[in-house]
Amino acid sequence: MQDFTFYSPTKFAFGRDAETRCGELVKEFGGSRVLIHYGGGSAVRSGLIDRVKKSLDDAGVSYVELGGVHPNPLDEMVYTGIDLCRAENVDFIVAVGGGSTIDSAKAIALGTLYDGDFWDFYSGAAAPSKALPVGTVLTIAAAGSEGSGDSVITKKSTMEKRGTGGECIRPKFSVLNPALTQTLPAYQTACGVTDIMAHVFERYFTNTKNVETTDRLCEAVLTAMKNEAPKVIADPNDYEARANIMWAGMVAHNNIVGVGRDQDWNSHGIEHELSGLYDCAHGAGLAVIMPAWMTYVMKHDVMRFAQVAVRVWGCDMDYANPEATALAGIKAFRTFLRGIGMPINFEELGAKVEDIPALVEKFGIGDGKTGGFVNLDRNDIAAIYKLAAEATL
Amino acid sequence: MQDFTFYSPTKFAFGRDAETRCGELVKEFGGSRVLIHYGGGSAVRSGLIDRVKKSLDDAGVSYVELGGVHPNPLDEMVYTGIDLCRAENVDFIVAVGGGSTIDSAKAIALGTLYDGDFWDFYSGAAAPSKALPVGTVLTIAAAGSEGSGDSVITKKSTMEKRGTGGECIRPKFSVLNPALTQTLPAYQTACGVTDIMAHVFERYFTNTKNVETTDRLCEAVLTAMKNEAPKVIADPNDYEARANIMWAGMVAHNNIVGVGRDQDWNSHGIEHELSGLYDCAHGAGLAVIMPAWMTYVMKHDVMRFAQVAVRVWGCDMDYANPEATALAGIKAFRTFLRGIGMPINFEELGAKVEDIPALVEKFGIGDGKTGGFVNLDRNDIAAIYKLAAEATL
């Protein structure tokens, strides 16, 4: 196990009607003038924004609002938000939505207190050190942004999708009410589950030895998702299954299951180019990319892939041929994804094989290499896109 | 799943030499005048206290010290500490030791800012609301006190062992260096593992339905302990196994694996009377009590006991007779405990069957009932002590 620091000081209010605690939580963490940041009209139409406003009113906290965050959130909204926060002397941002809205809120929180262009944090030109405090009311279990110090934004002019991270943008509080996710279409729900599982897999595939405790915790989250996801696809109103998925989404990404080990994260990078170019859902892109990545890198550590095949997917261990077990695990993952309605290849995703050179170009590693589990160059990335393009069950 | 709030804002510095970060961490959390609180002489003899002092010196933080905390920490030490903190204007307490030292530090932190008798918090006459900030340098993976808001103290005059809890006594930071535990005798190491597993079992046995995610996380910690504990018993210098156990000890008790469900905690209460009366190690007492409690309450939910037998202990499920599987799981737990050197009955622990009436009396529920999984009365408690007294493999 490697040395590490773990710090997850977000306060989670979990359960039915938890959004009514929003005002009290803003005050607890020192806010007095809030930007309510949200996405499409559904949060308004469902009455959720009104409930958040009422909670702030009841706590004597004033607010302004900014809706319209796009999935794969754009830099232009961030600039608008920064201007608004400065003009209105906002001292706390409450994001009401999923990962996109939360990530947009984090970018605004960074940019408001920064003299330069907020994009500096995403291009790597600057490191986050201070930001307005952020709270969240989560409406999609997926990104884990409600418990993480990460944010991903897309620059509209170039469609570059880039991330940043820092303690200062970790939410002070997050409201997790599983009932808010019951109105999500099955497709988005499944995208969320895929993202949660991908967050675990990115941590699970590691070269670090002797990480039994976090290995087992990773397998626990994966197994729970394997069992709970089909329930919500079958019955969108299954509060209990949604609650299990929502808590797993946080656990999967606040790093409690990933400490002390190298992590990979190539699948996320490879996927970002897909959702950047085609504006598809991140989870759907991961469903296409991650099994292809697994197939491509499997021989790097066949026994680790066999391990997850047996422990999570319930495959029989083929002791004479562990590679067969590893492959059976990848197939089981893809079958699971298809079963919850996810695409498994380019055609189903709406991506084009002829775009692969452009995707690799945008991936932008030049002659370099990337990835914590298997270090890949641009030819490897192209090969993974090709495997993903042509995948079948 | 039940509604819950989860808040775990402790910063964990994990790994080799992590104690050298002590001074920097105290300053980060606003301390300038520290009480270094520790137990026996081993922390001094090993040079650990000197390393902590050097780290504080390097950070320009001054300190006083108070050693001699007893396992099953006593109220008299707490009074001494409170007087010292007041006399020396201490604004931060660093506990260097295991759960006993940390719990003593938490009690001093509470009492220093309280006008009345600190015991009020433990007798239930007052609820914790403010305390000096506490940091820890952990030397035993066991109690989970490094990441929890709990504290247990024994009143010497009556040998009553009582607990309290509150956010204000949750450590601001905890230094977890697995190498510090390498000098622990095998017996104490095994006691720690038993305590960690007991913290999970107290949460695992629940009447709350639909808790798949936390069930799987609980099983993950239990499985990791089943696999890692024998390694450290065989080789006390196995840093990697100690690291896995140390992280599991935190995860087992900061409640991330126990949210959203009723929990039991009778085994802890029943054990507290043993270690209160005989001054035995808490973990050793749990090794005797917990399997007895399991045997006594098993019929309340045979399938849950069968589940853990299969998933953690690797028992075959006897579909025609689930009770046989449940019993096989309890037997496997006891066999595991014996294998790591734990006592499994009164004689091995040094307890006496004729003391059972006194133990039940001290347990102090009168005509009431207690326990979140199975509600037990004084006759049940006596029966469990009797089962524990006579246990064999």
Side-chain angles (χ1 to χ4, degrees):
Chain A
M1 198 184 299
Q2 299 170 351
D3 298 349
F4 63 85
T5 299
F6 178 79
Y7 189 40
S8 176
T10 304
K11 186 167 196 169
F12 296 97
F14 191 105
R16 295 171 179 85
D17 302 322
E19 64 272 16
T20 60
R21 295 174 58 186
C22 221
E24 148 213 336
L25 288 162
V26 167
K27 276 178 81 173
E28 179 179 336
F29 289 99
S32 62
R33 177 77 173 153
V34 164
L35 171 69
I36 306 174
H37 195 39
Y38 56 92
S42 65
V44 177
R45 285 192 304 275
S46 70
L48 174 59
I49 297 296
D50 281 343
R51 294 202 297 283
V52 170
K53 286 180 181 173
K54 179 172 188 311
S55 172
L56 294 174
D57 285 336
D58 291 348
V61 171
S62 71
Y63 47 82
V64 291
E65 59 189 290
L66 178 63
V69 182
H70 192 273
N72 300 315
L74 298 172
D75 59 340
E76 57 188 16
M77 174 61 83
V78 176
Y79 293 114
T80 304
I82 292 169
D83 290 345
L84 183 60
C85 284
R86 288 175 178 164
E88 294 284 344
N89 293 311
V90 163
D91 62 11
F92 204 105
I93 304 179
V94 174
V96 183
S100 297
T101 301
I102 298 170
D103 283 8
S104 182
K106 288 173 175 177
I108 295 169
L110 277 171
T112 300
L113 300 188
Y114 182 61
D115 285 338
D117 182 349
F118 92 91
W119 189 254
D120 290 351
F121 298 112
Y122 293 79
S123 69
S129 64
K130 60 178 177 173
L132 290 179
V134 173
T136 88
V137 178
L138 188 66
T139 60
I140 309 176
S145 190
E146 69 275 14
S148 85
D150 304 321
S151 164
V152 176
I153 299 290
T154 298
K155 190 183 188 70
K156 194 179 181 189
S157 59
T158 59
M159 289 309 273
E160 286 170 283
K161 192 170 181 179
R162 295 289 174 263
T164 192
E167 274 311 317
C168 61
I169 54 172
R170 199 185 279 269
K172 301 302 177 199
F173 71 82
S174 282
V175 165
L176 310 186
N177 176 356
L180 296 179
T181 70
Q182 287 177 203
T183 53
L184 270 185
Y187 185 79
Q188 276 181 262
T189 300
C191 286
V193 169
T194 307
D195 198 17
I196 290 167
M197 296 179 84
H199 289 159
V200 178
F201 279 128
E202 298 279 21
R203 293 171 163 94
Y204 186 76
F205 292 106
T206 183
N207 299 309
T208 310
K209 301 300 178 197
N210 299 306
V211 286
E212 166 77 0
T213 296
T214 42
D215 264 5
R216 295 286 177 177
L217 291 169
C218 284
E219 291 156 2
V221 176
L222 293 168
T223 303
M225 293 307 87
K226 178 190 74 171
N227 293 332
E228 298 299 295
K231 295 184 190 171
V232 287
I233 300 303
D235 175 9
N237 292 316
D238 186 334
Y239 175 90
E240 299 290 350
R242 290 200 179 269
N244 277 291
I245 292 170
M246 202 166 213
W247 188 238
M250 193 291 285
V251 172
H253 200 48
N254 87 335
N255 213 31
I256 198 162
V257 307
V259 291
R261 52 167 70 204
D262 281 328
Q263 304 182 359
D264 191 75
W265 293 98
N266 261 338
S267 295
H268 266 71
I270 298 170
E271 191 296 311
H272 279 172
E273 303 314 326
L274 287 180
S275 47
L277 186 62
Y278 303 113
D279 208 21
C280 59
H282 175 52
L286 285 167
V288 173
I289 293 297
M290 193 143 231
W293 172 85
M294 290 177 174
T295 306
Y296 190 77
V297 306
M298 185 198 72
K299 289 193 177 167
H300 177 71
D301 188 349
V302 168
M303 292 306 276
R304 182 153 278 267
F305 281 90
Q307 176 177 299
V308 72
V310 172
R311 292 186 185 166
V312 173
W313 300 111
C315 302
D316 273 339
M317 178 66 190
D318 184 339
Y319 292 92
N321 186 2
E323 197 172 312
T325 307
L327 284 169
I330 298 169
K331 180 170 181 165
F333 181 33
R334 214 176 241 134
T335 303
F336 165 84
L337 292 168
R338 167 64 64 80
I340 60 172
M342 284 288 93
I344 61 162
N345 56 38
F346 267 32
E347 186 182 347
E348 292 176 10
L349 185 70
K352 293 176 187 150
V353 68
E354 57 265 32
D355 287 338
I356 290 177
L359 290 164
V360 173
E361 194 56 39
K362 265 203 184 318
F363 191 74
I365 54 167
D367 294 328
K369 289 189 160 200
T370 179
F373 177 58
V374 183
N375 215 228
L376 302 177
D377 65 20
R378 50 185 293 126
N379 293 325
D380 299 316
I381 303 298
I384 289 168
Y385 278 125
K386 192 147 188 298
L387 278 176
E390 298 164 354
T392 57
L393 277 190
Chain B
M1 198 184 299
Q2 298 170 350
D3 299 347
F4 63 86
T5 299
F6 178 78
Y7 189 40
S8 175
T10 303
K11 186 167 195 167
F12 297 98
F14 191 104
R16 294 170 179 86
D17 302 323
E19 64 274 17
T20 61
R21 295 174 59 187
C22 220
E24 147 213 336
L25 287 162
V26 166
K27 276 179 80 171
E28 179 180 336
F29 289 99
S32 62
R33 177 77 173 154
V34 164
L35 171 69
I36 306 174
H37 195 40
Y38 55 93
S42 65
V44 177
R45 287 191 303 276
S46 69
L48 174 59
I49 296 295
D50 281 343
R51 293 201 299 284
V52 169
K53 286 179 181 173
K54 180 172 186 311
S55 172
L56 295 174
D57 285 336
D58 291 348
V61 172
S62 70
Y63 48 82
V64 292
E65 58 189 290
L66 177 63
V69 182
H70 192 274
N72 300 316
L74 298 172
D75 58 340
E76 57 188 17
M77 173 63 81
V78 176
Y79 293 115
T80 304
I82 291 169
D83 289 345
L84 184 60
C85 284
R86 287 176 178 163
E88 294 284 344
N89 293 311
V90 162
D91 62 11
F92 203 105
I93 304 179
V94 174
V96 182
S100 297
T101 302
I102 299 171
D103 284 7
S104 182
K106 288 172 174 176
I108 295 169
L110 277 171
T112 300
L113 301 188
Y114 182 62
D115 285 337
D117 182 351
F118 93 91
W119 189 254
D120 289 351
F121 298 112
Y122 294 79
S123 69
S129 65
K130 61 179 176 175
L132 290 179
V134 173
T136 88
V137 178
L138 189 64
T139 61
I140 309 175
S145 191
E146 69 277 14
S148 85
D150 305 321
S151 165
V152 176
I153 299 289
T154 298
K155 190 183 189 70
K156 194 177 182 191
S157 59
T158 60
M159 288 308 274
E160 286 170 283
K161 194 171 181 179
R162 294 290 175 261
T164 191
E167 274 311 316
C168 61
I169 54 173
R170 198 185 278 268
K172 301 300 178 201
F173 71 82
S174 282
V175 166
L176 310 187
N177 176 356
L180 297 178
T181 69
Q182 288 176 200
T183 52
L184 270 184
Y187 185 79
Q188 275 181 265
T189 301
C191 285
V193 169
T194 307
D195 197 16
I196 291 168
M197 297 180 83
H199 288 159
V200 177
F201 279 129
E202 298 279 22
R203 294 171 163 94
Y204 187 77
F205 292 106
T206 182
N207 298 309
T208 310
K209 299 302 178 197
N210 299 306
V211 286
E212 167 76 1
T213 296
T214 43
D215 264 7
R216 296 285 178 177
L217 291 169
C218 285
E219 290 156 4
V221 176
L222 294 168
T223 303
M225 294 306 88
K226 177 189 74 171
N227 293 332
E228 298 299 297
K231 295 183 191 174
V232 289
I233 299 305
D235 175 8
N237 292 315
D238 187 336
Y239 175 90
E240 299 290 349
R242 289 201 180 267
N244 276 290
I245 292 169
M246 201 166 215
W247 188 238
M250 193 292 285
V251 172
H253 201 48
N254 87 334
N255 213 31
I256 197 162
V257 306
V259 291
R261 51 167 72 204
D262 280 329
Q263 304 181 0
D264 191 76
W265 294 97
N266 261 339
S267 294
H268 265 70
I270 297 169
E271 190 297 310
H272 279 173
E273 302 314 326
L274 288 180
S275 48
L277 186 62
Y278 303 112
D279 208 20
C280 60
H282 175 51
L286 285 167
V288 174
I289 292 297
M290 192 144 231
W293 172 85
M294 290 177 175
T295 307
Y296 190 78
V297 305
M298 186 198 70
K299 289 194 179 168
H300 177 71
D301 187 350
V302 168
M303 291 307 275
R304 182 154 278 269
F305 281 91
Q307 175 177 299
V308 73
V310 172
R311 292 186 185 165
V312 172
W313 301 111
C315 302
D316 273 338
M317 179 66 191
D318 185 338
Y319 293 92
N321 186 1
E323 196 171 314
T325 307
L327 284 169
I330 298 169
K331 180 170 182 167
F333 180 34
R334 216 177 239 136
T335 303
F336 164 85
L337 293 167
R338 165 66 63 81
I340 62 172
M342 285 288 93
I344 61 163
N345 56 41
F346 266 31
E347 186 182 347
E348 293 175 11
L349 184 70
K352 293 176 187 152
V353 67
E354 56 266 33
D355 287 338
I356 289 178
L359 290 164
V360 173
E361 193 57 40
K362 266 203 183 319
F363 191 73
I365 54 169
D367 294 328
K369 289 190 161 199
T370 178
F373 177 59
V374 182
N375 215 229
L376 302 177
D377 66 21
R378 51 185 292 126
N379 293 326
D380 299 315
I381 304 297
I384 290 168
Y385 279 125
K386 191 145 189 299
L387 278 176
E390 299 164 354
T392 57
L393 277 191

